[in-house]
Amino acid sequence: MTDAKQLLWCWVSSGFQVLVPKRRGYGFLRVPYGHHHDAALDAIGALVSVDVFGLDGALFFECAGSVFHGAPAVREAFAAKVVPALERHYGLSALEISPDEFWQLHPLERAE
């Protein structure tokens, strides 16, 4: 991984999750999609017909079991729609990480 700010994504906890870096400082947003409506994030969710949440340390795309537990090609097709849209929205590149890396970096897991 590099020191450059990147969106970090993976398949974990029955969904597609994305760690969103803070604009200033280091680390990731604890609430990447809170109580204020974000039409762009909702539009990205609509691309793949899922709801998007983000109160618990990561953007969470709530996928059906047929996607999360489906064939790799199904998950790849999902990511191929979502990742470029997120990159455009945030103006950052994205990188797939492992579930272990996700939990090591997750802002709520790292909280003392």
Side-chain angles (χ1 to χ4, degrees), residues 19 21 23 26 38-39 47 52 59 101 107-108:
L19 295 173
R23 291 274 181 206
Y26 298 99
D38 187 324
L47 285 173
V52 182
L59 285 179
E101 290 173 297
L108 299 183

Side-chain angles (χ1 to χ4, degrees), residues 44-108:
I44 294 168
L47 285 173
V48 287
S49 302
V50 301
D51 290 326
V52 182
F53 304 98
L55 289 171
D56 297 320
L59 285 179
F60 179 74
F61 290 76
E62 187 174 38
C63 302
S66 60
V67 174
F68 184 78
H69 298 291
V74 173
R75 289 190 304 274
E76 289 168 9
F78 184 99
K81 290 180 181 178
V82 172
V83 171
L86 288 170
E87 289 176 328
R88 284 189 301 277
H89 176 64
Y90 287 104
L92 298 169
S93 64
L95 176 70
E96 182 175 11
I97 60 173
S98 72
D100 286 341
E101 290 173 297
F102 176 85
W103 292 119
Q104 287 172 357
L105 296 169
H106 193 282
L108 299 183

Side-chain angles (χ1 to χ4, degrees), residues 8 12 16-22 27-34 53-60 97 102-103 105-111:
L8 303 179
V12 65
F16 181 87
Q17 298 210 39
V18 183
L19 295 173
V20 179
K22 294 178 180 179
F28 297 91
L29 297 176
R30 287 176 173 239
V31 182
Y33 189 5
F53 304 98
L55 289 171
D56 297 320
L59 285 179
F60 179 74
I97 60 173
F102 176 85
W103 292 119
L105 296 169
H106 193 282
L108 299 183
E109 291 296 313
R110 296 173 55 97

